[in-house]
Amino acid sequence: MQEIHIANGYFQLWNMYLNERTLDFNQVDFLQPYQAQLQHVLSLPIDSQSPYSFFKTIMQLTQQQLDCPQLVFEMAKFIRAEHFGVLGYMATRSESVAEALHNVVRFSRLVIDGAEIVPMHMAHQGNQIVLSWPYHDESYALINELTTACMAHLAKQIFPASLKLLSIHFAHRPQMACYQYEKFFGCQVEFAEPKYSFVIHADSLDLKSELADPSLMQLLLRQAEEAIAARPQHFQPVQRMQQCIAEYLKTQQQVPKIEWLAEELHLSVRTLQRQLQQQDTSFKKLLEGERMKRCEQLLAQQISLTEIAFKLGYSDQSALARAFKAYRGQTLLAWKKALKP
């Protein structure tokens, strides 16, 4: 597992929690081996990044030695825009929830970054908006919980009376008593889910912020774009495209157009096509591959071939069968029969 890096704002939150308890990390015995490294990290700009493994060590020691299993929630109460750097300020100065979420999806790497980190994804599911990201490893449970708690608490500061969470989903198991989660978030909280996600009502997208500042947002946007451009490109473009297409097929139950994918990736259609060509593929090839993967998932659910064809945008069952045979070299019926116990 490769190292990921997190914004130093997380360390600042941790230090604020200690100060609230009238503790100085320089004078706490259990932190003595780490004092020099902590001094260095806390002296860095709040929006620079440091290794998550070090942060996790400090957090686990603090939880154990101070007997505070709900440490992430205690820290999240101190969250302010600056702890998330440029992205935090962009969230507070956005004109609406929709704009704030758009920026969170686009610039989340400024807060947590690494080769294993997949960008967040936002999708409409009926009358709900789902902001999600995938599960990677149980060792990331702590940073996922803290980030989720901080985002929820900061959102309540920006949209104090209007924004209500419908549910929170964690891909890992509970790390403390379940009532602690529901007490903090004030909504239903699920665990061991396929992915992490916030769920809000679609009407929330239009909520306006009293702190909106369009002029400042233009400056922040340029700063964020420059910061992202300066970072190494861990995530492979084709992998991200496949993820977007797969999510769309699953949630929308229809076929996306290339214009939608370009907008989702913040690219022009021409730039998207050029990137695909450089990877020796095309939108049509990616789409067909993801349709077939989704087809296999639906076959395992014992859904009829006619319904699968409809969900995947084929004219009829015969068209689906031809596409499947060309892709897998095996007939749909043979594949479906092999799935039966």
Side-chain angles (χ1 to χ4, degrees), residues 248-266:
Y248 191 96
L249 289 170
K250 182 178 180 180
T251 59
Q252 302 300 317
Q253 299 189 36
Q254 56 182 308
V255 177
K257 295 182 178 180
I258 191 171
E259 290 80 6
W260 171 85
L261 182 60
E263 182 178 353
E264 188 76 4
L265 299 173
H266 315 292

Side-chain angles (χ1 to χ4, degrees), residues 20-34:
E20 178 70 13
R21 296 191 57 162
T22 65
L23 296 173
D24 181 344
F25 73 86
N26 287 300
Q27 299 174 1
V28 177
D29 290 342
F30 69 86
L31 294 172
Q32 195 277 330
Y34 308 99

Side-chain angles (χ1 to χ4, degrees), residues 303-315:
I303 296 175
S304 72
L305 298 182
T306 300
E307 187 176 353
I308 293 175
F310 175 76
K311 289 177 180 293
L312 297 179
Y314 291 99
S315 57

Side-chain angles (χ1 to χ4, degrees), residues 59-76:
M59 286 286 290
Q60 289 177 332
L61 276 172
T62 305
Q63 286 176 315
Q64 296 163 6
Q65 297 296 323
L66 300 185
D67 190 24
C68 185
Q70 74 281 11
L71 178 60
V72 293
F73 298 143
E74 296 298 325
M75 288 169 53

Side-chain angles (χ1 to χ4, degrees), residues 36-55:
Q37 193 171 352
L38 282 168
Q39 287 173 354
H40 171 68
V41 170
L42 291 170
S43 71
L44 296 172
I46 198 168
D47 59 349
S48 58
Q49 295 186 337
S50 295
Y52 167 61
S53 56
F54 176 53
F55 181 73

